[in-house]
Amino acid sequence: MLVSGLFVAAAETEQKFLGDESDGSRATPIHLIPLYAENEDGEKGEKIQPDAEFPMPFSTRHTCIDCHNYDLVKKGWHFNAVDANVPPGRSGQPWIYFDSKLCIQIPLSYRNWPGTFRPEQIGLTEFKFTKIFGRHMPGGGPGEIEAEDIDDIGRQLVSGKLEINCLSCHNANDGQDMGSQIGYSVQVARENFRWAATAACEFASVTGSADQLPATYDPFMPDPGVKDAPTVTYRKEAFNENNEVLFEIVREVPNERCYYCHSDLYIDNEDAEKWSSDEDVHLKAGLTCVDCHRNGIDHNIIRGYAEEANISQNPIAAMSTCEGCHLPEGEDESRTGRHGAPIPTHPGIPTVHFDRLTCSACHSGPWPGDKTILTKTSRAHKLGTPNVNKAPDGLPHVISPIFAKQEGIIAEYLGRDLLLEDRKIAPHKLIWPAYWGILEGDRVEPIEISIVENVIGGVFADLELSATGDWPQISKEQIVEAIRVINTAIGTKAVYISGGKFYSLDDSGAIKEQENHPAAQPYLWPIAHNVRPAAQSLGVRYCTDCHATDAPFFFGDVTIDSPIVAERDSVKKMVEFLNVRPFYMKAFAFSFVFRPWMKIIALGSCAVLAMVLLLYALRALSCVAKVLAGNNQ
Amino acid sequence: MYQIISIIAFLITLTGITLHYIAFPAGMEHLRDPVKKLVYFFTLLLIEQKLSFTGVLRKLVYLLTLLCFVVLAITGFYPTLVLDKHISGYLLMIHATFAPILAICLAILAVMWASHCRFTYSDWPWFQCLVQRVTLAKNAEEEPLIKSRRFGEKITFWLIIVLALPLILSIILSMFTLFGTYWQEFLLTIHRWTALVFAVVAIIHTYTLLRTKID
């Protein structure tokens, strides 16, 4: 019975509803629909009446579910991070928790990407995680997990769950408010999870903060006397006589919606501004993000890396990579050139490059300079939200571009990780993890943030914080003191990780530094965009774009980021991230100094050989002619 | 496929040379001790005092060519035939360092040896007979036809010169921004196959040259 029950549940999950199966029309379906709230049992509640005394926020789940299978949608890539059965695939951008006063900057992910930590390892429950990072999530995932922590259970009763906000992507109305003072991000930060989607849409506004309310507050029995209680005000003109609302829903998500969570700012100079840098060449050619990053109703969106087709259920994953559109391969030649993609000829590029490099290595991200640059991303730096720190050196410190071999797990099969094969070189963003941990054998387990705060808060109490949000200036002596305090408080061997180094105390209590410890390795994730035009790709000028003795591709400086003052000016060479011997790469690059000479010598030798051959061929012809002419002398 | 064909080609070449050596022993009957034979072979590498300046130069260039050939053959074929990989790393750097030296040496040898390796009537008496029969011409002095023993050496010399052109050009042209991926692969294929034939011919040439010297 249990098995049959599971089958029924699975079948219901896979079931497609009215709006989930297209009839083939490419016209935009009209979404003139009534809105429904969620009731106190989590079921479909009453229809929203804009002129009600205390209107509830509408629930996307219960409003959209008449036509769309919500349970199918929530399996999509944007919502399924918490599902352990989903293969993590190529390493991606982590969520970054940082606290300058505690000298912490740590990459987090629910996906099993090597180098990231699970949020619960630093004491973040799904509820807390959602409150911090939900600002740049389209809902779902951790936002819909039932709270288990005793504190969170009460808070979640007030805040509700952060449902998938369909409108965060599919609302084409300019009024979709993700980042204003009263928009989606602020509502999430106020724990107004239940109200967030409503507050973000163009025809409603929300005041109040759930996080200011006691856990005993009942949002389904609003009390006008309670200060700060979340309150919805609907714009009545948006509703027709049947209390239906016309949504500007589009199937193909506008680029601006993607940009809210997927913007980058490369700080290559003090005045780095978005207007001074170019967008992706594909967008300029008229494509949209979702022309390549496609999905069906299961929202299993294509990430776009070459190996994805091995694990993706998306049937067009293989043809939605760079190669899928640009390179004729196998029997699908007729599919190349999709969207007008030019077929590259790559003149003069030895084919070995295609075996060892991703397309993005030469075509994507910022052009590498002598030194890596600080980079801001929407999700790491809260771009597009109110009161964002606009200082270039504000934490977290994401560094790019770094050329390194791709990491990732394609699939987990029978408990064994199947690692990414043919790890090609790609441009990456990088973060140097900085955290306090406990040494367990060779493994370092991060200490929960709340414990760190309680234990070493006193040590760093007088620390002068940077006005720009940069690291404070701490010394190794302060690290020693902090480790000593943690050791005493927790009774275990505490360590500090930062800037690629592992700090611990030896038996005499002196600081011990260790480089290349596995726990201190940086976390890197590949850069796919912005794609530069072909004329701006690496190697377009000459081989020495990469193979010069000072070419940034191999010999650029990668900044080592650390709050410890003594480590601030440290750098590593790019070649150290490529698992190749620096001397070899230097010698190989040096050989390119002589490459023009080699060409001249070889061509000159060929000319001499050809002339000798021609000369003696003519003489032989002369002999034959003489013989045939009867002149045998 | 290339790997298998290359191994077979080298095996056939070396077996053929061995069989030829056994079937037609070199004129070293006075040297029965194998060590002495080996020493004698090495003395062939030395520069004879009686040689003129150009003779010395010719021999030096030849020896340098031989050295370059050995280095290039090892660095080129070892990864392909033994490791089943493309040439890369230090082997590639050594290969690319010795390649232009070989090209220069081949050009110098072509100039210095071409006249010496011209085909004469004695190289192919059957051809002379054929010509005489066709043209009804007679030798002025009706000299008896003497078959040359250097035909193999000469033909392999000219083959080396001819093969050197696609061998060098295929890799040098791929370094210019003239050819796209398809042609890059095509040029690389030409280089690989030409290198195989070149190596086989060079081995045979070296053997025939030694035999001419010894005999």
Side-chain angles (χ1 to χ4, degrees):
Chain A
M1 273 185 67
L2 178 65
V3 173
S4 63
L6 285 172
F7 276 125
V8 171
E12 281 176 358
T13 306
E14 300 298 328
Q15 188 187 349
K16 289 183 176 177
F17 294 180
L18 177 66
D20 296 342
E21 281 184 302
S22 166
D23 59 3
S25 170
R26 287 192 178 268
T28 306
I30 295 298
H31 284 79
L32 180 62
I33 53 174
L35 308 178
Y36 290 94
E38 184 186 55
N39 66 19
E40 56 270 39
D41 299 323
E43 303 296 329
K44 189 172 186 172
E46 292 180 358
K47 187 175 171 181
I48 298 293
Q49 310 285 337
D51 47 5
E53 189 180 1
F54 299 109
M56 289 297 288
F58 67 86
S59 155
T60 47
R61 169 193 279 267
H62 298 298
T63 299
C64 303
I65 205 162
D66 284 345
C67 299
H68 300 291
N69 188 338
Y70 186 91
D71 290 327
L72 191 56
V73 171
K74 69 193 276 190
K75 288 184 170 181
W77 179 257
H78 281 91
F79 321 110
N80 66 12
V82 289
D83 183 350
N85 295 316
V86 175
R90 187 176 76 169
S91 295
Q93 180 172 180
W95 297 98
I96 303 172
Y97 182 89
F98 66 94
D99 186 328
S100 60
K101 194 168 185 182
L102 299 177
C103 301
I104 290 173
Q105 156 176 289
I106 186 166
L108 306 173
S109 180
Y110 285 105
R111 301 190 195 278
N112 186 18
W113 287 326
T116 60
F117 297 87
R118 290 188 67 82
E120 56 265 29
Q121 286 181 275
I122 60 164
L124 289 184
T125 59
E126 287 89 356
F127 185 84
K128 293 190 180 82
F129 182 88
T130 305
K131 185 177 179 182
I132 296 170
F133 299 111
R135 54 181 162 76
H136 276 101
M137 288 165 55
E144 284 193 306
I145 300 284
E146 199 76 47
E148 293 178 353
D149 182 85
I150 192 73
D151 294 332
D152 293 345
I153 291 171
R155 298 303 330 155
Q156 199 175 51
L157 285 173
V158 181
S159 71
K161 292 178 182 172
L162 190 67
E163 290 180 339
I164 293 172
N165 182 6
C166 315
L167 300 174
S168 64
C169 299
H170 292 284
N171 188 359
N173 190 289
D174 290 338
Q176 176 67 23
D177 179 5
M178 301 299 286
S180 86
Q181 297 288 350
I182 53 168
Y184 185 82
S185 62
V186 172
Q187 301 299 331
V188 172
R190 290 176 179 170
E191 286 184 16
N192 292 346
F193 296 167
R194 193 193 311 278
W195 292 266
T198 303
C201 75
E202 67 274 17
F203 54 82
S205 59
V206 172
T207 55
S209 299
D211 65 351
Q212 299 297 314
L213 303 176
T216 52
Y217 178 80
D218 183 357
F220 296 99
M221 298 288 286
D223 180 354
V226 175
K227 194 186 166 197
D228 285 329
T231 310
V232 186
T233 307
Y234 287 105
R235 193 159 54 83
K236 294 185 178 64
E237 312 88 82
F239 290 76
N240 68 7
E241 63 280 11
N242 298 322
N243 283 332
E244 293 168 330
V245 175
L246 178 64
F247 284 100
E248 286 184 52
I249 297 290
V250 286
R251 191 186 292 117
E252 296 195 353
V253 175
N255 296 339
E256 288 68 28
R257 294 278 167 268
C258 308
Y259 268 149
Y260 175 67
C261 297
H262 298 283
S263 289
D264 290 322
L265 179 66
Y266 296 101
I267 304 168
D268 50 358
N269 61 64
E270 286 184 3
D271 303 319
E273 284 278 2
K274 63 184 176 194
W275 59 264
S276 61
S277 57
D278 295 337
E279 282 186 292
D280 191 286
V281 70
H282 295 92
L283 300 188
K284 295 290 106 180
L287 296 178
T288 63
C289 306
V290 292
D291 279 330
C292 300
H293 300 286
R294 295 189 191 187
N295 59 266
I297 186 61
D298 60 3
H299 284 63
N300 186 13
I301 197 165
I302 293 168
R303 293 177 68 197
Y305 61 96
E307 298 81 3
E308 187 178 13
N310 297 333
I311 53 166
S312 177
Q313 302 297 317
N314 193 315
I316 60 168
M319 56 187 274
S320 298
T321 60
C322 306
E323 294 92 335
C325 287
H326 287 281
L327 292 179
E329 282 282 342
E331 296 171 359
D332 291 336
E333 288 195 25
S334 61
R335 285 181 172 172
T336 56
R338 291 172 60 222
H339 309 302
I343 308 298
T345 52
H346 291 120
I349 307 286
T351 53
V352 66
H353 289 78
F354 308 122
D355 297 333
R356 298 190 180 173
L357 301 170
T358 60
C359 303
S360 55
C362 302
H363 293 279
S364 292
W367 185 278
D370 293 336
K371 195 170 185 178
T372 51
I373 53 175
L374 285 174
T375 305
K376 291 193 168 190
T377 75
S378 296
R379 284 178 280 164
H381 295 86
K382 308 180 187 177
L383 304 185
T385 63
N387 303 320
V388 61
N389 180 3
K390 294 181 181 175
D393 53 0
L395 287 174
H397 286 168
V398 176
I399 294 159
S400 72
I402 290 91
F403 292 91
K405 292 191 173 177
Q406 295 183 109
E407 292 276 358
I409 295 170
I410 283 299
E412 290 166 312
Y413 178 68
L414 296 176
R416 191 166 60 92
D417 291 343
L418 302 180
L419 297 173
L420 203 67
E421 290 177 351
D422 298 330
R423 294 167 56 217
K424 291 183 177 180
I425 296 169
H428 287 74
K429 293 192 183 87
L430 172 151
I431 182 170
W432 293 98
Y435 61 94
W436 304 90
I438 297 165
L439 192 61
E440 294 176 349
D442 286 339
R443 219 167 56 84
V444 176
E445 185 65 28
I447 302 174
E448 289 188 12
I449 303 298
S450 56
I451 298 173
V452 175
E453 205 161 15
N454 289 336
V455 175
I456 66 166
V459 179
F460 291 158
D462 299 329
L463 212 57
E464 191 178 333
L465 295 179
S466 162
T468 60
D470 195 357
W471 290 119
Q473 310 238 339
I474 63 166
S475 63
K476 288 183 183 173
E477 288 71 29
Q478 285 170 298
I479 297 293
V480 171
E481 182 59 22
I483 293 177
R484 198 171 287 144
V485 169
I486 297 173
N487 281 345
T488 310
I490 304 179
T492 53
K493 190 169 172 60
V495 299
Y496 181 61
I497 304 288
S498 128
K501 284 190 177 174
F502 172 99
Y503 299 92
S504 60
L505 302 185
D506 62 17
D507 295 338
S508 67
I511 194 161
K512 194 169 74 176
E513 296 177 25
Q514 190 181 337
E515 271 192 87
N516 301 322
H517 191 282
Q521 296 310 302
Y523 179 73
L524 297 97
W525 65 99
I527 297 173
H529 299 286
N530 291 336
V531 176
R532 302 190 300 270
Q536 293 178 14
S537 50
L538 283 174
V540 75
R541 297 177 301 185
Y542 190 59
C543 309
T544 45
D545 276 352
C546 300
H547 294 296
T549 50
D550 57 352
F553 188 94
F554 287 112
F555 307 110
D557 289 335
V558 177
T559 311
I560 292 180
D561 174 53
S562 172
I564 301 169
V565 177
E567 303 292 338
R568 289 280 172 93
D569 297 326
S570 307
V571 292
K572 277 194 165 201
K573 289 291 177 191
M574 201 80 80
V575 70
E576 295 177 56
F577 293 83
L578 290 165
N579 294 334
V580 287
R581 291 176 295 276
F583 175 77
Y584 165 72
M585 283 320 305
K586 204 79 172 177
F588 189 65
F590 189 63
S591 74
F592 280 81
V593 174
F594 305 101
R595 186 60 70 90
W597 298 8
M598 187 172 87
K599 289 178 185 173
I600 292 168
I601 288 169
L603 288 177
S605 301
C606 284
V608 172
L609 290 169
M611 281 191 284
V612 168
L613 277 173
L614 184 65
L615 176 68
Y616 282 88
L618 289 173
R619 289 178 72 169
L621 189 65
S622 167
C623 285
V624 173
K626 278 179 187 174
V627 169
L628 292 176
N631 182 0
N632 204 22
Q633 298 303 311
Chain B
M1 162 119 146
Y2 176 80
Q3 187 187 22
I4 294 167
I5 291 177
S6 301
I7 291 170
I8 292 171
F10 283 121
L11 285 177
I12 290 173
T13 308
L14 295 175
T15 312
I17 286 171
T18 312
L19 289 176
H20 183 270
Y21 185 79
I22 293 166
F24 306 99
M28 295 190 298
E29 290 79 8
H30 58 290
L31 300 173
R32 290 188 182 164
D33 185 357
V35 178
K36 285 184 179 172
K37 277 186 183 176
L38 205 61
V39 171
Y40 177 72
F41 269 118
F42 275 107
T43 58
L44 295 174
L45 299 175
L46 301 176
I47 295 174
E48 300 155 53
Q49 286 185 341
K50 64 180 180 185
L51 286 177
S52 64
F53 173 72
T54 50
V56 171
L57 186 65
R58 202 160 46 219
K59 182 129 189 184
L60 281 174
V61 171
Y62 175 75
L63 290 175
L64 185 57
T65 310
L66 203 60
L67 174 71
C68 289
F69 168 72
V70 171
V71 172
L72 287 167
I74 291 171
T75 54
F77 287 110
Y78 174 72
T80 321
L81 305 192
V82 180
L83 305 178
D84 196 17
K85 285 181 181 172
H86 288 298
I87 182 172
S88 63
Y90 287 112
L91 288 179
L92 176 63
M93 284 166 60
I94 296 168
H95 197 81
T97 306
F98 279 81
I101 304 172
L102 179 74
I104 295 174
C105 290
L106 284 174
I108 296 171
L109 281 183
V111 172
M112 294 183 124
W113 280 26
S115 178
H116 185 61
C117 290
R118 269 187 308 128
F119 289 111
T120 59
Y121 286 125
S122 59
D123 289 320
W124 34 32
W126 53 270
F127 181 70
Q128 192 180 7
C129 290
L130 182 72
V131 169
Q132 283 172 356
R133 209 165 283 168
V134 170
T135 60
L136 298 176
K138 296 270 181 196
N139 265 349
E141 295 170 12
E142 290 289 338
E143 289 175 358
L145 293 172
I146 302 165
K147 191 182 173 187
S148 167
R149 301 189 66 168
R150 294 185 56 233
F151 181 71
E153 179 198 328
K154 287 180 182 179
I155 194 92
T156 48
F157 168 80
W158 287 108
L159 272 174
I160 285 172
I161 302 300
V162 170
L163 287 167
L165 281 174
L167 182 66
I168 300 169
L169 284 176
S170 59
I171 209 68
I172 288 298
L173 289 179
S174 73
M175 293 178 189
F176 290 92
T177 53
L178 298 171
F179 301 101
T181 305
Y182 173 80
W183 290 104
Q184 288 277 338
E185 283 175 355
F186 182 68
L187 287 170
L188 204 60
T189 306
I190 290 178
H191 186 74
R192 283 149 60 93
W193 288 104
T194 317
L196 175 62
V197 181
F198 183 94
V200 168
V201 172
I203 291 168
I204 296 170
H205 176 75
T206 310
Y207 173 70
T208 54
L209 197 65
L210 284 172
R211 287 302 299 261
T212 311
K213 285 266 182 194
I214 295 166
D215 293 344

